[in-house]
Amino acid sequence: MSAAFGLSFEGKETPAQVRELVAVAEANGVETLWFASHLFQREPIAMASMALQSSRHVRIALMAMSPYSVHPVYSAMAAATLDELYPGRVTLCFGVGAPRDLQAAGIEAPQPLQTLRESLAIAAELLSGEVIQFDGKKYQVHDRRLAMGGRKVPLVLAASGPQMLELAGRIADGVLISAATSVEFVNWCLDLVAKGEAEAGRRIRRIGLLYAALGGSESQAHDKLRRTLAFILRGAHHARNLELAGSVLDQEALAAAFLTENWVEVERLVTDDVVRRHAASGTIAQVQARFSAYNQVGLDELVLAGQGDAAVLADVLRVTRPAG
């Protein structure tokens, strides 16, 4: 079975761009719009509300709301309110947050596993409509319920580490795997999710972010993604992702080049081979082959990332969606 399609927004898109992209996405069968919660970018709750208002049936997801910057009670409130306005069209996703963003805001992120476990539990209890009685190590929430009552909002966990992936399998409704991840890394992640699922006797939704670019030639397409992939793959936490893919990339040199905006060096380090292994990029046939590979690994939803142009998005969807 082919995976469903989603579309992500990073917060850099203007309201006008979002409206154009939403129209193209809905017209081409995209099921969910994922709005990232990146500090210093556009606020995802407001942008998601606009997207819901300007569309008819597409879902939205508040993506990787960090309990370190937004209390889980507030995230649950936001999701429940949007679901009250647009029933059945809202998903809430929790995540630790981008380390460099949190650092720039002076926010520490200790004990992520415990914090995310409690955040999911608090949100689930509040969304049930019942009066909450929660005593955790990080949070204590008592004697209140959501004014909106119970809301059927799926809870997703953004995860990449072994313990977080197993946690998603045990207690979340879905798992979100980062963009720039190789097919091999996605497979490794899903094996860990399955371990958590087996312990709980359940199966959750598997979602993966994926960068895609089309070009007249393979190199032209890859050029569109080199800086984007560099931004993500420079992070030390992507070492296993690179290793499993068989990618050769000097992360330390890449981080230094990115910091000094030495784009010539950045683009030299992110070779064609790296782009090939960590995105769906190239000619139509190459992009279709990569989408097939990510589809076959067992994802239920492929979320297109980095699509800022409505015409380009339409082309990508046209060549990658199954015929009929």
Side-chain angles (χ1 to χ4, degrees):
M1 182 178 292
S2 296
F5 271 53
L7 175 66
S8 75
F9 297 89
E10 298 301 306
K12 297 180 180 180
E13 305 86 357
T14 67
Q17 282 179 302
V18 171
R19 290 191 185 95
E20 290 179 357
L21 290 164
V22 168
V24 169
E26 187 160 52
N28 286 275
V30 169
E31 292 190 10
T32 309
L33 307 172
W34 295 76
F35 287 87
S37 178
H38 293 317
L39 294 177
F40 308 105
Q41 301 294 341
R42 288 176 178 84
E43 198 278 328
I45 300 167
M47 298 303 285
S49 180
M50 183 190 72
L52 286 165
Q53 186 177 27
S54 61
S55 60
R56 297 185 62 185
H57 54 76
V58 69
R59 295 180 59 87
I60 68 91
L62 301 177
M63 181 166 60
M65 299 291 286
S66 172
Y68 296 106
S69 57
V70 179
H71 197 287
V73 169
Y74 197 95
S75 295
M77 286 166 50
T81 302
L82 289 174
D83 189 71
E84 185 178 32
L85 292 167
Y86 304 94
R89 295 176 61 190
V90 179
T91 293
L92 175 58
C93 174
F94 285 106
V96 174
R100 286 184 173 85
D101 288 350
L102 295 173
Q103 183 179 15
I107 299 172
E108 296 182 354
Q111 299 179 309
L113 190 69
Q114 180 71 31
T115 301
L116 270 297
R117 181 189 292 112
E118 293 188 14
S119 297
L120 284 166
I122 289 167
E125 195 165 339
L126 286 171
L127 290 166
S128 75
E130 301 300 321
V131 174
I132 188 169
Q133 301 291 348
F134 185 85
D135 284 296
K137 295 180 179 178
K138 172 76 174 178
Y139 300 109
Q140 294 79 41
V141 187
H142 294 285
D143 302 321
R144 303 296 291 272
R145 60 159 55 107
L146 290 179
M148 297 72 72
R151 310 302 309 183
K152 293 183 179 180
V153 174
L155 297 174
V156 174
L157 180 60
S160 58
Q163 290 181 303
M164 201 72 77
L165 289 161
E166 289 184 32
L167 178 66
R170 284 197 301 272
I171 68 173
D173 298 309
V175 63
L176 177 67
I177 299 171
S178 171
T181 48
S182 62
V183 170
E184 295 82 2
F185 184 76
V186 172
N187 189 59
W188 177 83
C189 289
L190 295 184
D191 283 346
L192 288 161
V193 171
K195 183 177 178 182
E197 290 173 326
E199 292 174 4
R202 60 206 296 272
R203 189 188 187 280
I204 67 171
R205 189 168 178 83
R206 294 120 183 269
I207 306 142
L209 289 156
L210 177 62
Y211 286 110
L214 281 167
S217 69
E218 182 181 20
S219 186
Q220 286 177 349
H222 293 351
D223 287 345
K224 299 176 184 179
L225 292 177
R226 294 187 205 278
R227 293 190 192 183
T228 299
L229 292 178
F231 176 75
I232 296 175
L233 293 177
R234 65 189 169 136
H237 61 289
H238 275 280
R240 184 181 293 273
N241 175 25
L242 293 163
E243 178 188 0
L244 290 173
S247 298
V248 178
L249 179 63
D250 187 334
Q251 287 181 284
E252 186 176 343
L254 182 62
F258 205 99
L259 182 64
T260 59
E261 299 184 1
N262 184 348
W263 304 126
V264 172
E265 181 67 1
V266 165
E267 293 177 6
R268 184 190 70 81
L269 289 165
V270 182
T271 63
D272 284 355
D273 187 63
V274 169
V275 180
R276 222 176 270 129
R277 294 170 187 267
H278 295 272
S281 178
T283 63
I284 289 175
Q286 288 171 323
V287 169
Q288 288 174 331
R290 289 301 286 168
F291 267 84
S292 177
Y294 280 96
N295 187 50
Q296 291 174 14
V297 82
L299 291 170
D300 298 305
E301 183 174 344
L302 284 169
V303 182
L304 290 169
Q307 302 294 318
D309 183 279
V312 174
L313 172 64
D315 285 341
V316 172
L317 289 170
R318 175 177 54 81
V319 303
T320 53
R321 286 200 61 76

